[in-house]
């Protein structure tokens, strides 16, 4: 695996996961729009999730597409996904340790966050498949999966939902891994049919 793919994934998370979406999301809660969204919290959660999903998944799609045009390495989504996922997991584990009330619950939360790393690798692979096989709808699925994750977590923060963040991340990550695996398998079969036609 080339280290530059890993670094590109890390830098892309900082740019497309933090620097780009945060100011846009702040418009919803720190401007004159706040009063509207205070009475439309579900819409706010959807928009927060949508901004995060579109920013991250489209950003990763664009960056990997540029790298792949130059390198043509099939290992790209793994290296890029690990860069994105490891940094994201470090942020998540840091926040768990910061608010941890007991060692046992903290360890469970950390393990669940590590499973979330698998979901991030799957989303990265879906973005890669979307451009490599010209399947833009797969990018749409990746964005939607990301939207639901971030929207639900934000809804939980606003107390619209009441669930354990760690348990939700574990269950939803498992869902993303399984669904992503099915999509990747169906895509592989579809590509083989196109090649043989």
């Amino acid at each position: 695996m080339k280290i530059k793919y890993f670094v590109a994934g890390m830098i892309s998370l900082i740019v497309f996961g933090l620097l780009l979406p945060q100011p846009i999301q702040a418009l919803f809660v720190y401007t004159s729009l706040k009063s509207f969204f205070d009475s439309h919290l579900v819409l706010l959660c959807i928009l927060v999730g949508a901004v995060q999903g579109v920013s991250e998944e489209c950003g990763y799609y664009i960056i990997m597409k540029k790298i792949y045009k130059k390198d043509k390495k099939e290992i790209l989504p793994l290296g890029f996904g690990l860069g994105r996922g490891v940094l994201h997991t470090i942020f998540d584990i840091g926040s768990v340790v910061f608010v941890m009330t007991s060692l046992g619950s903290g360890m469970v939360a950390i393990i669940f966050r590590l499973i979330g790393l698998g979901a991030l690798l799957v989303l990265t692979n879906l973005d890669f498949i979307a451009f490599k096989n010209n399947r833009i709808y797969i990018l749409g699925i990746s964005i939607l999966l990301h939207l639901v994750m971030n929207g639900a977590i934000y809804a939980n923060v606003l107390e619209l939902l009441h669930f354990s963040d760690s348990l939700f991340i574990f269950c939803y990550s498992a869902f993303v891994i399984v669904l992503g695996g099915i999509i990747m398998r169906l895509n592989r079969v579809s590509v083989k049919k196109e090649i043989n036609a």
Side-chain angles (χ1 to χ4, degrees):
M1 175 181 74
K2 290 192 174 184
I3 192 73
K4 72 177 183 177
Y5 300 158
F6 185 84
V7 172
M10 292 178 89
I11 292 170
S12 294
L13 174 69
I14 292 168
V15 172
F16 298 110
L18 297 172
L19 298 177
L20 182 62
Q22 298 294 325
I24 297 168
Q25 292 165 334
L27 291 174
F28 304 143
V29 292
Y30 296 116
T31 65
S32 59
L33 295 172
K34 183 183 184 328
S35 60
F36 172 79
F37 284 116
D38 282 345
S39 57
H40 298 87
L41 292 176
V42 172
L43 178 60
L44 175 62
C45 294
I46 292 168
L47 288 174
V48 165
V51 167
Q52 199 70 38
V54 168
S55 176
E56 284 193 51
E57 302 311 325
C58 289
Y60 304 148
Y61 173 95
I62 291 165
I63 297 301
M64 283 194 295
K65 188 173 183 177
K66 288 183 181 292
I67 293 170
Y68 190 75
K69 278 184 179 178
K70 186 177 176 186
D71 286 0
K72 300 280 189 223
K73 302 285 186 198
E74 296 297 319
I75 196 78
L76 170 61
L78 176 62
F80 190 94
L82 281 172
R84 161 199 189 181
V86 165
L87 186 58
H88 200 294
T89 303
I90 289 169
F91 290 153
D92 286 349
I93 290 174
S95 67
V96 167
V97 169
F98 185 71
V99 299
M100 183 167 73
T101 56
S102 73
L103 183 59
S105 65
M107 292 308 293
V108 168
I110 288 170
I111 290 167
F112 286 174
R113 292 316 194 275
L114 291 173
I115 292 169
L117 173 61
L120 293 174
L121 289 171
V122 167
L123 290 175
T124 304
N125 205 29
L126 292 177
D127 298 341
F128 179 75
I129 288 169
F131 77 76
K132 183 173 181 271
N133 297 325
N134 199 25
R135 306 271 199 274
I136 199 71
Y137 66 90
I138 292 178
L139 177 62
I141 292 169
S142 185
I143 291 168
L144 182 61
L145 290 169
H146 203 126
L147 179 158
V148 170
M149 171 70 90
N150 282 83
I153 290 172
Y154 194 63
N156 201 40
V157 168
L158 295 177
E159 297 181 354
L160 294 173
L161 300 173
H162 302 281
F163 55 75
S164 158
D165 276 352
S166 294
L167 184 59
F168 172 75
I169 288 170
F170 171 76
C171 293
Y172 195 73
S173 294
F175 170 75
V176 167
I177 291 167
V178 169
L179 181 63
I182 291 168
I183 292 168
M184 287 183 268
R185 176 72 179 136
L186 291 173
N187 178 68
R188 212 172 297 127
V189 169
S190 173
V191 169
K192 281 182 182 175
K193 283 182 180 175
E194 288 175 10
I195 291 170
N196 293 333

